[in-house]
Amino acid sequence: MPGPNYWQQYASYRLEAELNPVLKRLTGRGRVIYYNRSPDTLPVVYLQAYQNLFRPDARRNQQTPKLGGIDFDKVTAQGKTLSAVAKPTEIGYTVNGTIMEVRLPTALAPRDSLVMDFEWQFRVQSETAPRGGQDGETWFISYWYPQMAVYDDINGWQIDQYLGRGEFYMGYADYDVKLTVPTGWVLDATGALENPTEVLSAQTRARLDSARTATGIVHVVTEKDKSDSVVTAKGKDGKLTWHWAVKNVRDFVWGTSPRYLWDAARAITDSANGKQESSLVSALYRPENRRSYWDEAARYGRHAVEFYSRRLWPYPYPHMTAVDGPDGCGGMEFPMLTCIGGSYDSLSLYEVVSHEIGHMWFPMMVGSDEKRYGWQDEGFTQYDQSQAMADFYKGFDDEARNREYYLRSAETGYEEDMMKPADRYGNDQTYGVAAYWKPASVLVALRQVLGRETFEKAFREYGQRWLGKHPTPWDFWNTFDDVTGQDLSWFWREWFFETWRLDQALDTVRTEGDSAAIVLENRGKIVMPVPLAITREGGSVDRVTVPVNVWFTGEKRYVLKVAAKPTITRVEIDPAHEFPELSRGAEIWNRGGRGRAITPPTTRQ
Ligand SMILES: [Zn+2]
């Protein structure tokens, strides 16, 4: 757990931006105050210039539009105007791909702070851009301001380039943001709206108020409201400036459109000890996207927020909004907002909404490095999504789907280990297995090893210890070892650092005097305990688990002795089917017959 000397950096952003939808340009200006809470003196600081992913000459590992990167019109630090310089010895700044290096006039001492001012602009990318952009109707503005890179207690500056596939690592910060867009456009953003009377009509405000207490879904903005032009305040020169503020979040984003309908619902986030804490869950969508079930999105979002609040810990933010955005968004998470593009049926819309809302816990509240350890972000969220789906669709087995995706790769050997930066995988497929399907399946296996209650307790404890901080994989593993009182290093090593496979098998069951000998084989390299269901004549079932340490010597066979009577009719390994087992057919022994045919996984597109 973080010790008394644990530190992390902090920043405060005061930003202003205006969106010109005709020119498709964003112009911004702002002040960044950076607080050096590290014990180190910093002569150089780094910021993210993510928009440079879209420069024609950028390094990238995904296809993107190439409409240009970010242009800095002004950069000052410590009151001095800095210019772009090439020499690494000169005071000034250098932009290398998506990373901006600022060599300070005066080195930043421990416990001191630094003021920097910026003016910048960029062309908002078209709808095939990943994780934000515009499609002519909806505008999702992400990665839009110079953001401090993380300087942490493990690696120092984390300045890995943004190449497209690998995601992000962000520090916690305060934001005060003013956003100017055309009058009549609906806008939502990270944080709380500070000036509702200046930007929203009285009707919209009244409906939002009613959504905060109602039990059902409130239609805050309807098609009729839009045609009557009664959604926003009147504005000046055809524009409105929306003022937002928030503390202690990893990022700030916004979504806006002249076409959005707005549904809202109250989600109960904490009802323990007589409390009635709640948050406002919204869906912003175009009317025609009812065909993708967007008119259900507020209800889906409310369920996800309430479910995770109960299972993990209460959702702490004032709102959570699902935004119908450009196709390239797919589903992408940001603090309090998710941008979702594309077409959906009702199940897949619930799936993506609940997945992205799951990310509010990992990595928004528990701030791991997604770029280097994708599974700490995506794997945990995939696991959480499966729990939400099982609750919403009463028993829907999303975990089986995760296992199937992982096993299909494991069977063919088309797999890379989990402990690699996202951008170092051979392709999106092997990254997807290592970041989503395998870790989600590994957590289910761990849950069976530990028992559900112990697993959930350790999982929550990890999150609680590292809330608002920067945990590494070792912090996750150590928390589990600590909470369970077990040395689980064998488990972490074989599943996380290797591409070994689990292949447990029943060789035979034979009678030896008063005993029955159940002969188990470990055919793969992975060792695991062996949970068994032993069915006897008359129908009674004994549950026995052979402990993992019988394999630690390298033995590949183990003989379990149990009573021979009543006669054993059937033995099955892992009867709950929660282990990612390579060849399930060899896991069953039936008296008078052997196992059952190995069925290949069905195809899922
Ligand atoms: Zn995700």
Side-chain angles (χ1 to χ4, degrees), residues 72-378:
F72 289 98
D73 300 321
K74 184 181 163 193
V75 178
T76 77
Q78 296 164 327
K80 296 193 172 62
T81 300
L82 303 183
S83 49
V85 289
K87 275 197 205 153
T89 49
E90 283 177 58
I91 289 163
Y93 71 92
T94 308
V95 179
N96 168 12
T98 63
I99 299 288
M100 172 188 246
E101 178 180 299
V102 178
R103 290 180 292 280
L104 299 171
T106 308
L108 178 61
R111 289 173 298 284
D112 202 354
S113 64
L114 162 70
V115 178
M116 287 176 286
D117 290 307
F118 297 92
E119 288 178 18
W120 71 93
Q121 52 178 304
F122 60 85
R123 164 128 184 206
V124 180
Q125 296 296 312
S126 56
E127 68 270 23
T128 54
R131 308 183 178 101
Q134 55 80 26
D135 55 18
E137 294 187 334
T138 68
W139 301 71
F140 198 91
I141 311 297
S142 48
Y143 317 111
W144 62 280
Y145 60 95
Q147 182 182 31
M148 296 302 307
V150 174
Y151 184 80
D152 72 18
D153 61 338
I154 304 289
N155 296 304
W157 289 107
Q158 209 281 33
I159 47 173
D160 299 353
Q161 293 282 333
Y162 178 37
L163 300 176
R165 180 195 304 137
E167 295 196 302
F168 308 94
Y169 187 30
M170 295 170 166
Y172 290 90
D174 297 343
Y175 293 83
D176 184 285
V177 183
K178 290 180 176 155
L179 303 168
T180 302
V181 300
T183 301
W185 289 34
V186 167
L187 187 151
D188 207 353
T190 306
L193 180 62
E194 295 289 289
N195 62 340
T197 55
E198 290 171 31
V199 293
L200 296 173
S201 69
Q203 173 183 289
T204 303
R205 278 182 278 129
R207 289 197 187 150
L208 277 174
D209 283 345
S210 74
R212 288 192 177 91
T213 52
T215 50
I217 308 295
V218 172
H219 301 295
V220 177
V221 172
T222 64
E223 280 135 312
K224 181 169 187 311
D225 301 330
K226 301 191 82 66
S227 57
D228 293 349
S229 298
V230 293
V231 177
T232 67
K234 294 279 173 256
K236 256 195 280 181
D237 309 323
K239 296 175 190 174
L240 279 169
T241 297
W242 301 59
H243 182 192
W244 298 83
V246 60
K247 290 190 186 310
N248 202 32
V249 288
R250 281 169 46 119
D251 197 5
F252 184 100
V253 296
W254 44 296
T256 185
S257 171
R259 301 213 52 232
Y260 282 148
L261 307 182
W262 187 349
D263 291 347
R266 176 195 198 210
I268 304 296
T269 54
D270 191 359
S271 54
N273 308 320
K275 278 187 291 223
Q276 276 292 314
E277 302 292 327
S278 64
S279 182
L280 191 73
V281 175
S282 292
L284 304 181
Y285 58 98
R286 286 165 279 194
E288 64 271 26
N289 280 340
R290 288 190 181 107
R291 70 187 167 209
S292 280
Y293 296 88
W294 270 93
D295 48 344
E296 297 282 351
R299 189 166 71 87
Y300 294 171
R302 176 176 64 186
H303 173 267
V305 167
E306 292 186 341
F307 176 77
Y308 297 130
S309 292
R310 282 197 308 273
R311 202 194 118 233
L312 296 167
W313 56 87
Y315 184 75
Y317 305 130
H319 75 90
M320 177 71 224
T321 303
V323 179
D324 161 25
D327 279 358
C329 274
M332 184 59 202
E333 72 278 14
F334 304 91
M336 300 175 223
L337 251 69
T338 165
C339 182
I340 297 173
S343 305
Y344 295 90
D345 60 24
S346 57
L347 182 86
S348 60
L349 188 70
Y350 178 81
E351 179 181 353
V352 67
V353 167
S354 65
H355 180 97
E356 307 314 335
I357 290 178
H359 277 307
M360 299 307 113
W361 281 260
F362 307 97
M364 296 311 158
M365 285 187 248
V366 183
S368 61
D369 183 343
E370 306 162 51
K371 218 174 191 61
R372 294 194 183 178
Y373 308 109
W375 57 268
Q376 251 181 316
D377 156 43
E378 296 300 351

Side-chain angles (χ1 to χ4, degrees), residues 501-516:
R501 299 178 296 186
L502 176 67
D503 192 358
Q504 299 178 331
L506 268 163
D507 182 67
T508 189
V509 179
R510 57 175 184 256
T511 309
E512 296 177 351
D514 290 345
S515 296

Side-chain angles (χ1 to χ4, degrees), residues 19-38:
L19 180 63
N20 183 325
V22 177
L23 299 176
K24 298 183 167 54
R25 282 196 90 72
L26 180 131
T27 49
R29 46 191 280 171
R31 168 162 288 192
V32 184
I33 307 175
Y34 183 60
Y35 300 93
N36 183 13
R37 295 174 175 175
S38 81

